[in-house]
Amino acid sequence: MSSDDINPRKPSFGLALVPVVLTLLVLGVQLFYFGDFTPHIPLAIGLAITGLVGLYLGHDWGNMEDGVFRVINVSLPSVSVLIVVGMIIGVWIASGTVPTLIYYGLLVLSPQIFLAASMIMCAVVSVSLGTSWGTVGTIGLALMGIGAGFDIPMYWTAGAVVSGAFFGDKISPLSDTTNLAPAVTGVNLFDHIRNMMPTTVPAMLVALGIYIWAGYALIGEGGTSFERIESITVALNEYFAISPWLLVPALLVIGLAIMKKPPIPSLFAGVVAGALTAIIAQGSTLQDVFGYANSGYSIDTGITEIDSLLNRGGIQSMMWTISLILIALGFGGALERTGCLQAIIAKILSKVHSFAGVQTAAIATSTATNLVAGDPYLSIALPGRMYAPVYRGMGRSTLNLSRATEEGGTLMSPLIPWNAGGAFVISALGLGVIDGNFENLLYIPLAFACWLTPIIGIFYAWTGLFSPYASDDEIRDWQENDRSIADMSEYGYDDPLEGHRIKAAPAE
């Protein structure tokens, strides 16, 4: 029997929950009972359980394999970014770019406003680059070093970095997720970005205020330890040539981003510039540079803060994260292909009929998909496809939906440790969670801008603020492009196409 002859059954809601619940149980055992923060095997087991459910429903292996690899294929550009970012981290440390950023940051930045400044810097760079991961792995890493010099806990600095980096990713027209959300919901990119401002800007302002308050609270009236800062700057001067010229690789990447060049070539140009800088300024050989790009940089200064931050980078340092991403994406692809995620969403939609309820459910579904499937792309694409007909049936603009998927998808991704975004943050910033430093997971509640945004979005949904109805042009677009519209008449909603019917052309 060919795969074309297969007509698998749709799972019931109860059956659809089986692979999700069992996977979360296995994941809980691994993380909390064994105390081992390596979620790879639990997610792989979840993939196997989903496969068994699929076989029971009538899918053959080829059909499920196609679903798994289709989702993985969609996210390969981000895996490519990870590989290049790994190279950048190793080479920029060796070139002195990261040490120079740390050095001047310790001299110029005020300890009290450091957290607020970190969030703003990461937001600006992320908007320019269009990638939160690139920002976290470059500027974010340097800020972790500056924070260590100010004796600020790692998780506070990481929270500020994540807040800024993922804010920038969310509103950058160069970002892949920012382009994905309007694409799956059928709205204009720049309309989508404008519609996110009412939730994003207040969340950033609140986070900014908290970081300013925290800076003064953490440093205290006694100020920071200048002996500590001096020991770090002296060591950096001893082991690296420090000069403003060493910032050229970073400025080159930002310049290419401003010129709207593609992210991967722009980041790779930063690798090449960093390699040349390492050879010219730091006396590295070409063989050394190849080693830094592949295996990362290694140094022993005797100062813990410097060694823990600068002994990192390289393609191989990203393999833990990449392998986790691939397994998580495969699990998400299997859940989608077997219809389990669709069955769960359909159950939710059968119980929720008000706009406020649907908007809340869309945010929650994107967050839950992030939590279960570990994939920010699937958490945007799947709810976007499933909920769009309902919004249209209510006569509501799908701009509400595209914003909801970004709030539950893009912004919640870095707050879930086994998600692609969370795994990268933990690895790139050197939080050491894998080694048992679980206190650094406190960056999750401290990334205020990320989790405040969906809360504000839910508030708007229930109050009716910033929750637009579909415009006449948008409704005409639904009809002209034959977009799916759910029949919501039994719940008191009028036909949104009424008055916008396209008249047939008169016969010649």
Side-chain angles (χ1 to χ4, degrees), residues 88-137:
I88 275 187
I89 293 173
V91 171
W92 280 17
I93 293 173
S95 70
T97 300
V98 171
T100 296
L101 284 168
I102 296 173
Y103 180 86
Y104 286 119
L106 288 172
L107 296 181
V108 174
L109 286 175
S110 163
Q112 285 80 8
I113 66 167
F114 166 70
L115 291 174
S118 296
M119 185 187 73
I120 294 172
M121 290 171 60
C122 286
V124 171
V125 173
S126 190
V127 170
S128 302
L129 294 179
T131 167
S132 52
W133 292 2
T135 302
V136 168

Side-chain angles (χ1 to χ4, degrees), residues 35-67:
D36 184 352
F37 189 82
T38 48
H40 301 62
I41 300 305
L43 291 175
I45 291 172
L47 175 55
I49 294 171
T50 310
L52 292 175
V53 171
L55 291 174
Y56 172 77
L57 292 170
H59 294 269
D60 70 355
W61 170 247
N63 184 40
M64 288 187 289
E65 184 181 65
D66 177 70

Side-chain angles (χ1 to χ4, degrees), residues 479 500-506:
Q479 189 174 13
H500 297 276
R501 302 289 181 188
I502 299 176
K503 298 180 180 178

Side-chain angles (χ1 to χ4, degrees), residues 324-325 328 369-371 373-376 412-414 416-424:
L324 174 58
I325 289 172
T369 305
N370 252 328
L371 183 72
D375 175 28
M412 297 307 291
S413 169
I416 301 169
W418 55 87
N419 186 280
F424 175 74

